[in-house]
Each structure stands twice: as structure tokens, then as C-alpha cells.
Amino acid sequence: MEYVNLGRSGLQVSPLCLGTMNFGPLTSEEDSFAIMDKAHELGINFFDTANVYGWKLGEGITEQIVGRWFAQGGGRREKTVIATKLNGKMSDWPNDQKLSALNIRRACDASLKRLQTDYIDIYQAHHVDRNTPFEEFWEAMDVLRQQGKIIYVGSSNFAGWHIAKAQESAAKRNFNGLISEQSHYNLLTRTVELEVLPACEDYGLGVIPWSPLAGGLLGGVLRKIDKGRSAADNMVKQLEKHRDKIEQYEKFCDELNEDPANVALAWLLKQRAVAAPIIGPRTLEQLEGSLRVLEIDLDEAALTRLDEIFPGHRTAPEDYAW
């Protein structure tokens, strides 16, 4: 495993990030433990979670699973760069969500308890909070860092101008600011190329793409549907919307003799500012298969063909102006 620096930080992470969102709702605790152990065996040290994962209000089921895995010892916590997120609703009370200083303090303590650790490597804002000024956000994060409860701060689903405001506000406090941004980014969803990726590159944030397979559309969906899988109503609707592109894509992947899911991930690793796409394996086989991504080196001709199938964006404003 060749590790990469996350943005401008000195933090070294694997170029694939293990997403844990399936742990609990779709993947049993026993299987989740096996997947995390295998990830370490394969050299993947970067895990991502969130306080809302598990999707039962206020329970933090996924964080609890990760915490019980850490509690087994054997260097599991020490070998893991754990990133978790806050912002989502954790109760029906008004201050148990968003990015107020009060919720940041409470949410961090609750995540630490569930994760059975005394520090979080990367504490991420799951979404921008338009009603909390960044001055308040950074003051609260600064307190957590001084207390030793967090080391780095990241964002998720921020616009380019949110990143700029966050970084300029942090600079006034002589604070390190954001080191990462989790964005919805894949071959089908490329809007972040307009302003988010350029902002991340300029301010030194490592991009952690989520939904890199577009909910499964880029994972060989046509051949799976032919075998009776991936036929959920939403998947069928999305496939019909993008069928022409997906057909061209899967044909091109066949020409490359590569699995479509691996090509989609390999393409992301070629994009500006991208550090580590989030993979969300439900089985050990899916996890092990993901390692092939690191051996695929798409050449310029392949990248050009993928841009022809899935047109992207130039940096703003040139994308829509002179």
C-alpha cells in the first residue's frame, strides 16, 4: 500500500477509504468486524463514519460497532485514521443538530463515547450550517483540539465558497483550517469540478469522494440486472435515465478488460485534489476486489474516452463564460 498525504497535512492515509455506512443496517456486526480486520490486513488505514449512520435517531449504531471493534485491542485503534461527522439530527431537540458550538461539544463527546476512543483523527462537518458563523465553528473546534479530543477538521458537502469562507476565517485565528472535503463525485456527478475541486486544490484540502459508483450505476449494473440483481425501483429509474452512457461505459470497461467499479474508482484517483474515494463493501470479496483499483493506470486515451462518455466541467467561470 502506497499511502498519500491528506491534503496539505502530514497525515498519511490509504488511497482508499473504508466507508462504514452499511455497518448495522446492511452488514452484521460480525461481518463488519471481519471487513475492518481485512482492511487492516490489506493496508487500508483510513475509515469514515458519522454519528447518524445506522439511521435510528440518536443511537449512532455504526459508531458503536466501530467502537466495539476498537475495544478488542490488538492495535486496531492505533492503526486506524478514524474520521467521523456531525451535523445531522440526533434527537428532536433543537440543539442536537447542526454546527453550533453547543452541538459541536455535545456531539463530539457522544461520538468519543460510542467509538470508545479518547480522540478523533478527523472531525468533519457533515454539511454546511448556514445559520452558524464560521467564527463560532472554529472557536468550538479550537477548544476540542486544545482538549485533545480531535486532531484535524474536515468538511463534507461544502460549496467552493463555503470552503473559502471557512479557510479565511480559520486563518484569522491562526488555525490550520480544513484539511479535507467529502464531496459527491463520480463519473456521472461532476459538478464539483466547477468550483469545489479548484477551491480544495488552492487551499490544500484532500478530497474524499462519496458515492464513487453513483449508487451502483457505475459498478457493472447492466450485467447484474441481467442476472436478476440490482433491480430496485430507484436503480431501474436511474438506469433508464442514463442507459446510453452506462452501455457505452460497460462496453469500454470490457475493452479494458477491467471491472466497471474498479475503472470508476481508478478514474477518481486521477482527478485533481482527490486523496481517497470512499468504498463501502458489504462483503469481504467486495473489499478484496477493490484493491485492483490501485493497479489500474488509466492512460490519456482512456481518460479522454471516459470524458467523451461522461462530459465533465472546466473550472468556473471558463466553463460557462470566457
Side-chain angles (χ1 to χ4, degrees):
M1 183 68 66
E2 293 185 13
Y3 298 92
V4 299
N5 284 71
L6 186 57
R8 69 191 184 286
S9 77
L11 184 65
Q12 297 240 300
V13 298
S14 50
L16 293 174
C17 177
L18 179 67
T20 65
M21 190 171 69
N22 291 326
F23 294 177
L26 297 176
T27 305
S28 69
E29 183 160 328
E30 180 182 0
D31 289 345
S32 299
F33 281 17
I35 288 171
M36 289 186 281
D37 281 333
K38 189 64 176 182
H40 272 187
E41 183 182 323
L42 297 172
I44 296 173
N45 74 332
F46 191 15
F47 295 7
D48 175 74
T49 190
N51 60 356
V52 294
Y53 288 172
W55 313 117
K56 289 189 177 180
L57 186 64
E59 294 190 24
I61 290 171
T62 303
E63 283 188 332
Q64 289 190 47
I65 290 173
V66 176
R68 287 190 288 271
W69 181 74
F70 282 155
Q72 294 180 99
R76 287 176 172 83
R77 174 64 187 97
E78 293 77 11
K79 294 175 183 176
T80 303
V81 174
I82 187 68
T84 193
K85 300 185 282 292
L86 83 151
N87 184 299
K89 184 177 180 180
M90 294 298 285
S91 86
D92 290 326
W93 288 90
N95 290 309
D96 285 341
Q97 60 185 308
K98 302 298 180 67
L99 301 178
S100 69
L102 177 59
N103 189 47
I104 287 173
R105 174 178 174 171
R106 288 175 174 173
C108 182
D109 286 344
S111 285
L112 290 170
K113 184 176 181 180
R114 287 189 291 266
L115 289 167
Q116 299 195 46
T117 185
D118 57 1
Y119 69 99
I120 294 164
D121 296 289
I122 311 170
Y123 201 34
Q124 304 164 112
H126 209 160
H127 198 281
V128 67
D129 177 2
R130 295 178 177 87
N131 294 320
T132 299
F134 279 111
E135 291 78 10
E136 178 179 347
F137 173 81
W138 285 123
E139 182 176 10
M141 290 295 185
D142 199 2
V143 169
L144 292 181
R145 192 174 182 190
Q146 289 179 33
Q147 291 173 336
K149 294 179 179 179
I150 67 171
I151 299 178
Y152 299 99
V153 180
S155 60
S156 182
N157 304 305
F158 275 30
W161 71 275
H162 296 138
I163 291 168
K165 284 194 71 174
Q167 297 304 76
E168 295 305 319
S169 177
K172 292 177 182 178
R173 300 180 62 87
N174 294 316
F175 198 73
N176 197 31
L178 303 169
I179 68 156
S180 62
E181 158 61 23
Q182 264 194 53
S183 285
H184 188 195
Y185 188 29
N186 55 57
L187 278 163
L188 271 169
T189 305
R190 299 180 60 170
T191 311
V192 292
E193 293 171 351
L194 283 163
E195 299 195 31
V196 175
L197 297 192
C200 289
E201 190 172 48
D202 190 71
Y203 282 106
L205 278 67
V207 175
I208 310 167
W210 62 266
S211 194
L213 303 184
L217 286 176
L218 299 171
V221 65
L222 292 177
R223 58 199 75 182
K224 291 176 182 177
I225 283 183
D226 289 342
K227 295 178 181 178
R229 294 178 291 163
S230 299
D233 289 345
N234 184 58
M235 176 67 76
V236 172
K237 290 178 182 178
Q238 288 299 311
L239 176 58
E240 290 311 307
K241 179 180 178 181
H242 301 289
R243 178 174 283 275
D244 180 60
K245 292 180 180 180
I246 298 301
E247 287 178 347
Q248 293 181 62
Y249 176 64
E250 292 198 16
K251 181 180 179 181
F252 180 59
C253 291
D254 287 340
E255 293 172 10
L256 295 175
N257 197 30
E258 297 288 355
D259 184 86
N262 290 339
V263 172
L265 291 166
W267 175 83
L268 278 170
L269 287 171
K270 285 283 192 177
Q271 306 311 304
R272 63 196 301 180
V274 168
I278 296 175
I279 57 173
R282 289 195 285 259
T283 66
L284 286 173
E285 291 74 23
Q286 289 176 348
L287 175 62
E288 291 171 332
S290 298
L291 268 291
R292 170 61 187 158
V293 174
L294 305 180
E295 301 173 7
I296 299 174
D297 186 15
L298 299 173
D299 60 21
E300 286 302 316
L303 294 172
T304 298
R305 178 63 183 134
L306 290 170
D307 281 339
E308 290 171 352
I309 299 171
F310 302 105
H313 295 278
R314 293 181 297 162
T315 299
E318 287 83 359
D319 188 83
Y320 46 77
W322 57 270

